[in-house]
Amino acid sequence: MAWQPNGENLKTLAQCLKDSLSAFNKSAQKQAEIMLNQAKASPDINNYLALIISSSEPPPVFPTTASDWHMVRCAAALMLKNSIKNNYDKIPEQSLALVKLAVPLGLQDKNSQIRSHAGTLATELINKGGIYGWPEFLPELLKMLTNESGQVTPEAQEGAMAAMAKICEDNAKMLEREHNGQRPINFLLPKLIQATRSTIPKVRAHALTAINVFTPRKSQAMLNSIDDLLQHLFALAEDPSIDVRKQVCRAFVNLVETRPDKLLPHIEGLAKYIISQQKGDDEDLATEAAEFWLTVGEHDNLWQALQPYITDIIPVLLECMVYSPEDIAILGGASDDEDEEDREEDIKPQFAKKKLTRAANGNTASDMAKNGNAFEKVASMEEDDDDLEDGEIDDDESEGDENPDEKWTLRKCSAAALDVFARDFGGPVFTAILPYLQSNLKHADWSYREAAVLALGAVADGCMDVVVPHLRELVPYLISLLDDEEPVVRQITCWTLGRYSAWAVGLTEPAEKDRYFLPMMDGILKKMLDKNKNVQEAGASAMANLEEKAGKALEPYCGPIIQQYIRCFGKYKDKNMWVLYDCVQTLAEHIGPVLARPELSSQLMPVLLDRWQKVGDESRELFPLLECLSYVAMALGDAFAPYAEPIFARCIRIIHQNLEQAMKAKTNTDLDQPDEDFLVTSLDLLSAIIQALDNDKASKLVANAQPTFFELMALCMGDQSDAVQQSAYALLGDCAKYVFEQLEPFLPNIMPVVIKRLDMETILDEEVDNSFSVINNACWSVGEIALQYKAGMAPFVPQLLSRCVDILSNPRVPGGVGENAAIALGRLGLANAELVAPHLGNFAEEFLDTMDDVDPSEEKATALRGFTEVVTRNPQAMESVLLHYFSTIANYQELTLQKPAVAELHEAFQKVINVYKQIIPGFANFLMQMEAKDLELLQKLFIL
């Protein structure tokens, strides 16, 4: 029997939804919220919500105004969306069927907001149930948006196309994935391209929005449709709708990466078109257009095609780098705000920047992006949102802060493009901007002064050689601008000076250092205590930039630098504290052990410990603080020992608390998952402390940790976040190197976890790129464990061997990951050669090819020694690669190794040569097949 609504229940629900939105009657609002929460327990609640959403007129039992009924429907849509999102598996099939009937009705509603809500509901249903859980919907949607019957209203076509765009944004991978021999995108994409011919502007714009989900993706469907798509894009280039032209520009930007060959024949027309769009009055359209220069300029092959048009493009970029009148009204005459507390919304979410990636040369590679980029996309921080698929738009994303310096703008995009062109074309770009600089650097209007300083900074990396002759004049003037009355000018001047600090640092004459470098550094340090907080931030960012460029040259000035940092710690509000940590860690990274001098560490550590004690376990300020302390610990080495115990214990506590919270959130959807960066930064600091301290002290900290250190680490190794796993495996390898005695008893339980993570077969194709950093550190940790565990590795050798060979032979694996896999393979042979030898022929060629690219190091030496032990037990397996192997032996450079390691490796090489002398008739003649230089080296180093 079909479900029928109860009139009284419908009336009560509608009234509660209406009251829940009342801003004037708080009592009624609160009571409505209580009743709505109780109503969620009713099995029919979703039926009623679907009925309300799909009813354009209020029911007879609830007479009300049109505007009030609209608000009730919107509230019902939001409640239904949350119900689907949080309780999809508990919704009865009958209710889901009613909801699926209501959605198409909502998409045809005359009200655009209801149509949008219906599209959101459709997307949520597909997110939860999959495309094939509602197989009839996409065909129905296509019929609506293409007006197949000729009876579909323009509003319904708009609603259907908007819903399709949302579905594509949220489900790109699902649409591209094969199911029963078919991929939905193969049928869908041509229909979307056809929809760009619609007479309805919003349908055209939404169709392009959906298409642009796939233009950055190299699917076969896109490859098949590219020529048709380009024809439609060219036809739409002069579309009267600004929204359509935005999407046209975005499509060209995306195609730069995926099909540059298709754009190259049209580059002249594209250049003229993009210039015309960037010069328009709509800033959002102009920004989309400016992205084209940025993307082409960064493309390996396409940028050269723009050379004939540079003199036309550069003036447009410069014009767009001046603040708009609206921005000037917001920024001009900014007040001194150093004593004002930061608002919570001013402190943007931050993510741990340092990802510990272990390299085959034993060093730690960091992908940390330093501050100091005046045109860096603020949106780049959103890349860590793992819940969003490629092209997906976050419904909760705000339109950006009112402050133009807090969002990605036409000005920043143009400056970024100028930076890229300067690196591409060099001198001609500076020649093109020089008249602009001469006219505007001393302009009476601050907005033009600011834009000129920005332009000068933007070309620093690419045009340094041609700018250098002017710097002796420019730098003193820039230093004077640090006292400009406009904070915005002081702010950009800090950034530009930071960009040119490499020149000042490189001056060799003492008199020139005194004239240029010292005033530059002094001026930047002083701006760190400017009366305006934005200038303080810019000064701190510039100082971090200068530290990177100067490195150990800052050693004589460390005392005054640290004293200024201490003043900043006493003055800064929450927001700028983050960039101050970056200054400290960059200094620690580049001066290293110098920081351990008592006169320096005794000043710095108390202020860091003061922050450490003030910042709570749930504060996001912990991220930069823990990261900063990691660098400081590494710089201080064993001098960090007096501070290590409480810091180590707190990291353990933070990890434990966050793991517990994550477990609770899995079973209780009302709880939020903790931020992964609490785990990442705590794990990284534990790694740094273990590396920094004497092994005995580090072992004591690990042994005394409560809860048990290695149990927590193993849980982190299995965390759902790649970032957490990456740091956990880095920690595992460090423990193998420095505290192996503590680690050893736990290895029987830990090694199966490692082996499982190394299984490439369990990684989905779309996730493999994100997993490489984890696999890299896992391979590295296996190599470190093998070196220490020796024969104890025997039970795990067969599976580890299989995993490492799979990684080594996979063409998608980046070189650095393959190098760590090869080193792990080689080291397995150090104490388990008999187990590895039968399989030598499966990996010898890949191993040797990979090791050719690894720089000489202890890691490479031990891997080659282990590999050689394997070869001596199965020499016949090397037949096809033996000359390559001898070439590797001849060319190995061992200058960096300690004498015992050199002797062991040389002895192993000589041993294997002796084996082949015995089994190869005419060995000397065989060696004559080697390259002459390689044979000469072999004869020089070994007894043949």
Side-chain angles (χ1 to χ4, degrees):
M1 180 178 175
W3 176 80
Q4 294 293 324
N6 177 286
E8 194 60 36
N9 291 346
L10 179 60
K11 177 182 177 181
T12 302
L13 177 60
Q15 186 64 50
C16 286
L17 290 167
K18 178 183 176 182
D19 289 346
S20 70
L21 301 172
S22 173
F24 303 104
N25 189 335
K26 295 296 182 183
S27 175
Q29 184 183 43
K30 187 173 182 179
Q31 183 61 32
E33 289 172 355
I34 293 171
M35 293 184 69
L36 288 174
N37 273 327
Q38 293 172 348
K40 291 177 184 178
S42 167
D44 290 343
I45 181 62
N46 297 301
N47 301 11
Y48 284 103
L49 293 172
L51 175 63
I52 290 171
I53 293 163
S54 58
S55 301
S56 57
E57 300 292 335
V61 297
F62 188 71
T64 188
T65 64
S67 60
D68 280 353
W69 181 241
H70 172 69
M71 296 302 292
V72 169
R73 295 175 76 194
C74 289
L78 183 61
M79 187 172 178
L80 182 54
K81 176 199 169 185
N82 289 331
S83 176
I84 296 168
K85 184 175 183 178
N86 298 324
N87 302 293
Y88 178 83
D89 294 336
K90 299 176 183 177
I91 299 176
E93 282 297 325
Q94 182 190 34
S95 294
L96 280 176
L98 285 173
V99 173
K100 290 174 181 178
L101 288 172
V103 166
L105 294 173
L107 292 175
Q108 300 173 64
D109 201 89
K110 291 182 179 180
N111 186 283
S112 62
Q113 197 170 6
I114 297 299
R115 296 198 300 271
S116 177
H117 282 308
T120 301
L121 290 172
T123 304
E124 201 62 58
L125 283 165
I126 289 175
N127 285 349
K128 291 297 183 181
I131 292 170
Y132 305 104
W134 192 6
E136 68 276 11
F137 182 64
L138 286 187
E140 184 178 356
L141 208 55
L142 285 171
K143 289 178 183 178
M144 288 173 62
L145 65 88
T146 58
N147 192 14
E148 187 176 297
S149 66
Q151 305 297 313
V152 183
T153 66
E155 291 88 356
Q157 292 175 55
E158 283 183 21
M161 192 66 251
M164 181 64 79
K166 285 182 180 180
I167 289 167
C168 290
E169 288 166 350
D170 285 6
N171 298 278
K173 294 174 184 175
M174 196 184 301
L175 290 167
E176 289 179 338
R177 200 171 292 151
E178 187 171 324
H179 181 76
N180 292 335
Q182 293 184 328
R183 300 177 191 269
I185 188 60
N186 292 341
F187 175 75
L188 180 60
L189 189 56
K191 295 288 187 181
L192 294 174
I193 294 173
Q194 180 185 339
T196 64
R197 296 176 181 171
S198 171
T199 58
I200 304 168
K202 287 188 177 179
V203 171
R204 297 196 300 274
H206 285 310
L208 284 170
T209 300
I211 291 168
N212 276 331
V213 172
F214 303 101
T215 47
R217 305 166 71 90
K218 297 180 181 180
S219 65
Q220 188 61 46
M222 181 56 68
L223 295 176
N224 294 341
S225 302
I226 186 65
D227 291 324
D228 191 24
L229 174 61
L230 279 173
Q231 289 179 13
H232 283 74
L233 290 176
F234 292 140
L236 293 166
E238 301 299 335
D239 195 280
S241 165
I242 287 176
D243 288 334
V244 170
R245 298 204 306 277
K246 284 180 194 173
Q247 294 299 328
V248 169
C249 290
R250 184 172 297 178
F252 286 138
V253 169
N254 291 342
L255 291 173
V256 167
E257 289 297 334
T258 53
R259 291 310 303 266
D261 57 312
K262 292 291 185 179
L263 297 186
L264 188 57
H266 308 283
I267 198 69
E268 180 179 1
L270 280 170
K272 291 177 180 177
Y273 175 68
I274 295 296
I275 287 173
S276 71
Q277 300 307 298
Q278 191 172 348
K279 293 173 73 172
D281 294 332
D282 187 277
E283 180 165 343
D284 289 339
L285 172 58
T287 304
E288 291 287 353
E291 292 273 5
F292 182 79
W293 311 127
L294 189 55
T295 310
V296 173
E298 291 177 335
H299 194 273
D300 289 340
N301 302 317
L302 209 54
W303 65 267
Q304 293 155 318
L306 286 180
Q307 187 153 14
Y309 317 107
I310 282 297
T311 53
D312 298 321
I313 298 169
I314 297 295
V316 178
L317 296 178
L318 293 170
E319 181 182 337
C320 292
M321 286 162 58
V322 181
Y323 279 114
S324 68
E326 294 80 8
D327 293 341
I328 290 171
I330 295 170
L331 294 168
S335 60
D336 296 340
D337 61 355
E338 60 176 338
D339 294 323
E340 294 178 13
E341 295 298 329
D342 292 327
R343 298 175 303 167
E344 186 173 348
E345 57 266 31
D346 291 334
I347 307 171
K348 297 183 292 294
Q350 300 282 335
F351 300 92
K353 295 174 292 183
K354 176 171 67 66
K355 302 297 184 191
L356 291 177
T357 303
R358 296 304 197 250
N361 61 7
N363 294 327
T364 301
S366 171
D367 63 3
M368 181 169 51
K370 288 295 176 188
N371 288 303
N373 191 341
F375 38 77
E376 182 181 358
K377 270 194 178 181
V378 174
S380 66
M381 291 188 297
E382 291 159 11
E383 291 170 3
D384 286 81
D385 193 340
D386 295 330
D387 294 332
L388 300 183
E389 290 206 15
D390 294 348
E392 181 183 345
I393 305 300
D394 185 354
D395 288 339
D396 298 325
E397 187 178 332
S398 68
E399 291 298 316
D401 198 296
E402 143 181 268
N403 187 334
D405 279 342
E406 298 296 331
K407 59 184 180 181
W408 185 239
T409 60
L410 173 61
R411 171 180 172 275
K412 289 183 179 182
C413 187
S414 299
L418 182 61
D419 176 22
V420 170
F421 284 156
R423 285 186 268 123
D424 287 342
F425 301 107
V429 172
F430 184 67
T431 302
I433 73 166
L434 187 56
Y436 181 86
L437 296 177
Q438 291 168 336
S439 301
N440 292 286
L441 272 173
K442 297 185 179 181
H443 202 288
D445 186 328
W446 70 262
S447 64
Y448 287 91
R449 286 199 307 277
E450 195 276 347
V453 175
L454 172 59
L456 180 59
V459 302
D461 284 351
C463 298
M464 183 66 78
D465 290 344
V466 291
V467 180
V468 162
H470 303 271
L471 285 179
R472 285 171 176 79
E473 178 184 354
L474 285 170
V475 165
Y477 177 67
L478 288 173
I479 292 171
S480 74
L481 286 182
L482 291 173
D483 294 320
D484 195 280
E485 62 182 13
E486 280 294 336
V488 182
V489 177
R490 301 199 298 273
Q491 185 177 344
I492 201 63
T493 302
C494 286
W495 175 76
T496 296
L497 282 172
R499 300 269 284 181
Y500 286 101
S501 58
W503 168 78
V505 167
L507 295 171
T508 55
E509 293 293 328
E512 288 210 311
K513 274 190 173 292
D514 290 346
R515 186 175 179 184
Y516 300 108
F517 172 66
L518 290 181
M520 177 188 286
M521 181 175 68
D522 184 61
I524 291 172
L525 281 169
K526 285 179 178 175
K527 289 301 100 181
M528 289 179 69
L529 285 175
D530 193 271
K531 293 183 179 298
N532 181 276
K533 288 191 287 189
N534 288 334
V535 180
Q536 291 174 1
E537 181 182 15
S541 294
M543 191 60 203
N545 199 344
L546 184 146
E547 289 171 338
E548 259 193 345
K549 305 283 175 54
K552 295 190 182 301
L554 285 182
E555 184 177 335
Y557 316 107
C558 284
I561 290 171
I562 288 175
Q563 288 166 13
Q564 184 73 337
Y565 290 172
I566 291 170
R567 295 185 193 100
C568 293
F569 272 111
K571 188 73 174 177
Y572 279 7
K573 305 304 179 186
D574 292 341
K575 179 184 175 184
N576 285 347
M577 201 64 74
W578 297 62
V579 71
L580 181 57
Y581 290 132
D582 191 48
C583 284
V584 174
Q585 72 185 45
T586 306
L587 182 67
E589 180 182 9
H590 287 89
I591 66 169
V594 172
L595 197 61
R597 293 176 183 170
E599 67 272 19
L600 299 178
S601 60
S602 64
Q603 295 183 73
L604 179 63
M605 286 307 299
V607 293
L608 289 176
L609 292 175
D610 182 61
R611 291 305 301 177
W612 171 261
Q613 290 164 0
K614 288 179 179 177
V615 176
D617 285 355
E618 297 180 356
S619 169
R620 297 177 68 86
E621 189 184 330
L622 267 181
F623 306 158
L625 175 54
L626 292 173
E627 189 176 327
C628 176
L629 282 168
S630 295
Y631 280 91
V632 171
M634 294 293 287
L636 294 186
D638 198 54
F640 192 77
Y643 320 104
E645 187 174 349
I647 293 175
F648 197 92
R650 186 177 180 188
C651 287
I652 295 292
R653 185 176 78 234
I654 292 168
I655 292 170
H656 184 226
Q657 289 171 348
N658 279 267
L659 289 173
E660 279 194 333
Q661 186 180 339
M663 293 286 286
K664 291 176 181 176
K666 283 183 179 179
T667 56
N668 186 347
T669 55
D670 291 333
L671 297 176
D672 293 330
Q673 282 285 345
D675 194 311
E676 66 183 30
D677 283 338
F678 285 110
L679 293 175
V680 170
T681 51
S682 296
L683 290 165
D684 289 348
L685 181 49
L686 292 177
S687 277
I689 293 172
I690 286 170
Q691 291 176 72
L693 302 189
D694 287 345
N695 291 356
D696 290 344
K697 295 175 184 175
S699 294
K700 185 178 179 182
L701 290 176
V702 170
N704 293 337
Q706 289 296 328
T708 305
F709 179 92
F710 292 109
E711 290 178 0
L712 292 181
M713 186 184 72
L715 289 171
C716 293
M717 288 163 57
D719 193 87
Q720 62 184 4
S721 161
D722 283 343
V724 174
Q725 290 183 41
Q726 183 181 342
S727 291
Y729 279 104
L731 179 58
L732 172 62
D734 287 331
C735 289
K737 287 183 75 170
Y738 302 108
V739 292
F740 183 75
E741 288 184 5
Q742 301 297 325
L743 170 64
E744 186 173 10
F746 297 89
L747 284 174
N749 293 326
I750 286 175
M751 289 308 300
V753 179
V754 180
I755 291 168
K756 182 179 178 181
R757 191 62 180 90
L758 290 175
D759 187 357
M760 296 286 286
E761 293 295 324
T762 63
I763 302 170
L764 295 175
D765 285 346
E766 59 267 24
E767 295 176 357
V768 70
D769 291 337
N770 294 329
S771 297
F772 282 140
S773 58
V774 183
I775 294 170
N776 179 79
N777 283 2
C779 287
W780 175 79
S781 67
V782 168
E784 294 301 329
I785 293 168
L787 200 60
Q788 303 288 340
Y789 207 16
K790 299 182 174 59
M793 290 292 278
F796 313 110
V797 165
Q799 285 182 289
L800 286 172
L801 183 65
S802 173
R803 299 288 191 267
C804 289
V805 171
D806 285 347
I807 293 166
L808 202 57
S809 58
N810 190 317
R812 290 188 62 182
V813 171
V817 181
E819 290 171 7
N820 275 320
I823 287 169
L825 261 177
R827 285 178 166 181
L828 286 175
L830 286 170
N832 295 280
E834 294 85 355
L835 297 174
V836 179
H839 309 278
L840 178 58
N842 296 335
F843 67 86
E845 183 176 3
E846 288 87 353
F847 176 87
L848 292 172
D849 286 341
T850 303
M851 295 306 286
D852 285 345
D853 296 326
V854 179
D855 293 331
S857 62
E858 183 181 351
E859 282 80 1
K860 181 172 184 175
T862 51
L864 283 173
R865 184 159 60 86
F867 180 78
T868 300
E869 292 291 341
V870 174
V871 172
T872 59
R873 286 161 176 80
N874 188 5
Q876 291 82 3
M878 296 291 288
E879 182 177 357
S880 64
V881 293
L882 191 54
L883 289 173
H884 187 174
Y885 179 44
F886 283 150
S887 175
T888 298
I889 292 174
N891 285 283
Y892 184 73
Q893 300 294 316
E894 51 197 22
L895 302 178
T896 61
L897 298 183
Q898 298 296 319
K899 287 184 178 179
V902 172
E904 289 172 355
L905 184 60
H906 190 277
E907 182 181 335
F909 283 158
Q910 184 65 65
K911 180 180 176 182
V912 80
I913 289 170
N914 292 340
V915 169
Y916 282 109
K917 283 168 65 177
Q918 295 295 320
I919 65 174
I920 298 179
F923 183 64
N925 291 332
F926 172 79
L927 293 180
M928 294 301 293
Q929 299 176 66
M930 294 177 65
E931 294 276 347
K933 60 180 181 62
D934 293 345
L935 178 57
E936 184 180 348
L937 282 170
L938 200 66
Q939 290 170 333
K940 180 180 176 181
L941 295 170
F942 299 97
I943 300 171
L944 304 181

